[in-house]
Amino acid sequence: MQDDLIAQAQAWLAEDPDAETRAELARLIDAGDHAELAARFGGTLQFGTAGLRGELGAGPMRMNRSVVIRAAAGLAAYLRKNGHEGGLVVIGYDARHKSADFARDTASVMTGAGLRAAVLPRPLPTPVLAFAIRHLGAVAGVEVTASHNPPRDNGYKVYLGDGSQIVPPADAEIAAEIAAVPSLTVVPRPTEGWETLDDTVLDAYLARTDAVLAPGSPRTARTVYTAMHGVGKDVLLAAFARAGFPEPVLVAEQADPDPDFPTVAFPNPEEPGAMDLAFATAREAGPDLVIANDPDADRCAVAVRDPQAPDTGWRMLRGDEVGSLLAAHLVRRGATGTFAESIVSSSLLGRIAGAAGVRHVETLTGFKWIARAEGLRYGYEEALGYCVDPDGVRDKDGITAALLVTELASELKAEGRTLLDLLDDLAVEHGLHATDQLSVRVQDLSLIAAAMRRLRERPPARLGGLPVTRSEDLTRGTETLPPTDGLRYTLDGARVIVRPSGTEPKLKCYLEVVVPVAAHADLPAARAKAADLLAAVKRDLSAAAGI
């Protein structure tokens, strides 16, 4: 068995085009580190609807140039089989370790396969790539990014010609083509022949960002902004300048790209401590809002001044709160079309859409599904993702979302009000929709499977003292949703969804309780009741799942 492992590693080493991973693998072979070799060669990174994502390193279970070349060859074969011979593939990348190398390898493979390849001019936000696909009439796009994952990770996200991320069956068909690549030696990889784009596409994207704002709307709200060591700063500053907003005050320590993300444990605005520097900057600058992008700038986090917030005086709004605020803003402006959200997001969007006579749909988790909602005008999901200009970017876009929420804050400021005041109004009109999450990160993925199995075999009858009125195993699909690995529990005045994360080693449980509110004076009591209910539901669910 160990001899087979060494033979596998040596065969991989012989093909590896990267000096760094070759040296790394050679050290493991020379040291006879069978445990680490087994971790690298115990399978392959699976290509799915999230593309590829994993830790950088040598071997088929890591992200590296060999894995990326195979993935690009599989994608090229899929495109050719589907009639796109000679079509254009646009490639973008972030500022993570190896991202530029992976983008260049992809361009080389596409060129060698008879497709045309164009690479964005430098590390840019993911929404710029999603825009470029439609703008340039490409047949596909690739974004090299691991979004908000830890520093040692990278990833490979694939879009088709409609500008949306892949969904089944395309993911399985591409995966089959990747698996059919016998060896890197058969993959043509020229050293030239692709195009490196200039700033024309970026300029077109920036021109498009103006479209999300109402002509003549107030543009007075002042912001503090953090790029979270990612690629959002220059594009966001340019968009804000074009729109006429005050120049955001930058969180200097996090303003420029740094693939090591030195000031945060996880470069995700939702993670504890990630916003500490932004709040410190806000206490000095006194803005109306704090805005944060994740490292590839497709997500947008918003924080508001809140005297009741412990320590900082600032409170991060939940993705569901921002999602509802943007929906209310668009409805107020007379937006029509479909308002879409993922099933794990707040049901408040449905109430807002219903009251406005706007079509509302729920989709599976991920913008690959939200973006495909028929007649989409606005889409969001609770993980800080918002699509506010689907004709331009059929994906979440942290730049245009930042513009729209700053416009809303400006309008409210002109009325002597804040985002928190509007949230209070929505709670009185539609009920207080309070959401929370129970998220468990694991080293051993079998713990997630065990928890899901336990819940399927012994579904809870009550959670937080509330009876479970309906239990659904989403692997069977529903009338409106295709099958997915998840469980949904409907309670009297609450909802729970449990699912494994598609991009991280996490079990994620999404909780919502709805408390009727008769008047603004009743809000403090309603919030206290909701908090108690959420805590009780979380406690009981944790016990039922064994986590």
Side-chain angles (χ1 to χ4, degrees):
M1 183 70 175
Q2 291 184 350
D3 288 345
D4 288 347
L5 197 57
I6 294 293
Q8 269 184 281
Q10 287 173 333
W12 186 275
L13 180 64
E15 287 191 351
D16 192 337
D18 188 280
E20 190 176 335
T21 46
R22 276 202 314 273
E24 175 190 328
L25 186 52
R27 285 194 299 271
L28 294 175
I29 294 170
D30 292 343
D33 191 341
H34 295 105
E36 184 61 25
L37 288 171
R40 309 292 188 97
F41 288 87
T44 58
L45 280 184
Q46 292 303 299
F47 186 94
T49 52
L52 294 167
R53 199 177 289 189
E55 185 178 344
L56 290 163
M61 287 294 288
R62 298 287 186 267
M63 282 297 296
N64 51 64
R65 291 182 60 199
S66 296
V67 164
V68 165
I69 290 166
R70 288 175 180 273
L75 173 60
Y78 166 85
L79 292 171
R80 292 176 61 173
K81 280 190 176 179
N82 282 272
H84 298 305
E85 179 83 36
L88 175 65
V89 179
V90 188
I91 302 150
Y93 59 103
D94 66 11
R96 284 178 177 266
H97 292 295
K98 297 288 186 182
S99 286
D101 294 338
F102 295 167
R104 188 169 52 251
D105 282 330
T106 301
S108 172
V109 171
M110 295 300 161
T111 303
L115 293 146
R116 292 182 294 125
V119 184
L120 293 182
R122 58 186 171 279
L124 287 168
T126 293
V128 177
L129 180 277
F131 168 82
I133 295 166
R134 291 161 65 89
H135 181 70
L136 297 174
V139 298
V142 171
E143 176 69 18
V144 180
T145 182
S147 190
H148 55 272
N149 275 38
R152 284 299 301 167
D153 287 5
N154 213 327
Y156 198 82
K157 187 183 291 188
V158 175
Y159 298 75
L160 294 182
D162 62 355
S164 301
Q165 297 174 50
I166 55 169
V167 295
D171 57 341
E173 293 170 7
I174 295 169
E177 296 293 347
I178 295 170
V181 178
S183 165
L184 296 192
T185 59
V186 304
V187 180
R189 284 182 286 140
T191 57
E192 57 186 13
W194 58 89
E195 179 183 4
T196 299
L197 296 167
D198 59 19
D199 278 353
T200 305
V201 168
L202 176 60
D203 291 343
Y205 167 82
L206 286 168
R208 179 88 203 179
T209 61
D210 298 350
V212 306
L213 303 175
S217 62
R219 311 279 168 94
T220 59
R222 293 175 301 111
T223 56
V224 159
Y225 172 72
T226 174
M228 207 66 70
H229 297 298
V231 298
K233 180 193 71 173
D234 292 345
V235 178
L236 182 130
L237 289 180
F240 269 56
R242 286 181 62 97
F245 287 112
E247 182 177 355
V249 175
L250 299 178
V251 179
E253 302 93 329
Q254 299 174 334
D256 295 319
D258 188 330
D260 294 318
F261 305 104
T263 68
V264 288
F266 284 91
N268 178 355
E270 294 179 294
E271 293 285 346
M275 295 291 288
D276 287 355
L277 286 171
F279 293 156
T281 304
R283 286 195 294 275
E284 293 180 9
D288 300 298
L289 291 178
V290 174
I291 301 285
N293 286 140
D294 65 341
D296 69 325
D298 63 349
R299 298 170 195 246
C300 176
V302 179
V304 294
R305 197 191 315 271
D306 185 351
Q308 298 179 10
D311 304 324
T312 66
W314 287 83
R315 175 167 81 84
M316 268 275 290
L317 296 180
R318 291 187 172 277
D320 284 318
E321 292 175 311
V322 176
S324 299
L325 287 167
L326 293 178
H329 183 43
L330 290 170
V331 161
R332 184 176 173 180
R333 279 186 11 194
T336 58
T338 298
F339 280 33
E341 64 179 325
S342 62
I343 57 171
V344 300
S345 303
S346 173
S347 59
L348 178 55
L349 182 67
R351 304 277 184 99
I352 293 170
V358 172
R359 182 171 181 257
H360 168 255
V361 298
E362 287 186 321
T363 74
L364 292 185
T365 307
F367 265 83
K368 55 185 175 284
W369 298 107
I370 294 170
R372 286 179 163 76
E374 184 180 350
L376 181 66
R377 173 60 185 87
Y378 168 66
Y380 100 91
E381 67 177 359
E382 51 72 45
L384 310 182
Y386 316 96
C387 174
V388 301
D389 178 25
D391 289 341
V393 176
R394 293 196 81 79
D395 197 7
K396 54 187 178 290
D397 183 345
I399 305 296
T400 49
L403 287 172
L404 195 62
V405 78
T406 307
E407 178 188 59
L408 171 58
S410 299
E411 289 189 359
L412 291 167
K413 185 178 181 179
E415 300 167 4
R417 287 157 42 82
T418 68
L419 296 181
L420 293 180
D421 293 324
L422 181 52
L423 283 172
D424 287 351
D425 292 348
L426 293 174
V428 172
E429 184 176 358
H430 303 293
L432 178 67
H433 289 62
T435 58
D436 201 358
Q437 202 179 116
L438 172 61
S439 182
V440 182
R441 186 181 294 272
V442 301
Q443 295 292 327
D444 181 358
L445 289 176
S446 69
L447 296 175
I448 293 177
M452 295 296 290
R453 184 171 62 251
R454 196 175 291 115
L455 288 169
R456 284 190 170 102
E457 291 172 353
R458 294 187 296 278
R462 299 177 73 83
L463 291 170
L466 302 174
V468 176
T469 58
R470 187 178 184 190
S471 295
E472 296 172 274
D473 186 344
L474 299 178
T475 55
R476 302 183 182 121
T478 72
E479 289 182 6
T480 57
L481 298 171
T484 188
D485 186 8
L487 300 163
R488 179 164 60 183
Y489 304 115
T490 304
L491 297 85
D492 187 11
R495 182 218 66 200
V496 173
I497 292 175
V498 184
R499 60 179 283 272
S501 170
T503 57
E504 299 177 271
K506 281 183 175 181
L507 182 68
K508 303 182 88 169
C509 311
Y510 304 84
L511 323 175
E512 179 178 47
V513 300
V514 182
V515 179
V517 183
H520 281 76
D522 301 320
L523 278 168
R527 287 199 180 93
K529 180 179 180 180
D532 289 344
L533 270 175
L534 283 171
V537 171
K538 186 185 288 190
R539 182 187 63 241
D540 291 354
L541 181 64
S542 180
I547 54 173

